[in-house]
Amino acid sequence: QVQLVESGGGLVQPGGSLRLSCAASGRTFSSHTMGWFRQAPGKEREFVAAISKSGITTYYADSVKGRFTISRDNAKNMVYLQMNSLKPEDTALYLCAATSRATGKQTFEYEYWGQGTRVTVSS
């Protein structure tokens, strides 16, 4: 029903910026809350950010608030994650996810997942 493909990951120096993109397929994109999660080796998958179906409301993990910005373009079936002031601890596989719920900050709440794009923050 919904297929997600992430892109934009790569190697960046601490303090640098990177923008991740998530392309969604399906007719019901605008009916889904979209989220970004990340998972580092040996760590559980953690919530990063989410955006409401309309794009009006956003949510962020405390660790990224003020540095990351999530946005969406329903006309293009795209979701973005602008990451600024990157830190080494931001290094992880970043995954895009979709849920039919009005809100979602936990992994189990999401129905669809992309394969992820890797982000490495290092000098």
Side-chain angles (χ1 to χ4, degrees):
Q1 187 175 358
V2 178
Q3 293 183 337
L4 307 171
V5 180
E6 305 94 332
S7 62
L11 175 65
V12 64
Q13 295 185 333
S17 298
L18 207 60
R19 188 172 91 148
L20 306 184
S21 298
C22 175
S25 63
R27 299 178 297 172
T28 60
F29 177 72
S30 62
S31 297
H32 289 81
T33 295
M34 301 299 297
W36 284 98
F37 290 77
R38 66 186 183 186
Q39 187 167 19
K43 300 288 186 178
E44 291 187 348
R45 189 168 297 179
E46 66 174 345
F47 169 78
V48 175
I51 187 166
S52 64
K53 299 172 182 180
S54 66
I56 296 176
T57 307
T58 57
Y59 307 89
Y60 299 93
D62 290 341
S63 60
V64 306
K65 190 172 181 62
R67 299 188 298 121
F68 291 11
T69 302
I70 187 172
S71 62
R72 69 189 295 164
D73 186 338
N74 287 349
K76 297 181 179 179
N77 280 18
M78 296 289 291
V79 181
Y80 308 96
L81 184 67
Q82 178 66 47
M83 305 184 293
N84 299 325
S85 301
L86 284 163
K87 306 174 181 179
E89 49 263 47
D90 293 320
T91 296
L93 177 71
Y94 283 73
L95 303 103
C96 178
T99 178
S100 58
R101 296 188 180 214
T103 58
K105 295 182 179 180
Q106 301 180 73
T107 301
F108 72 84
E109 296 181 274
Y110 284 78
E111 304 163 76
Y112 308 99
W113 295 85
Q115 293 299 304
T117 184
R118 295 189 180 280
V119 172
T120 301
V121 184
S122 176
S123 298

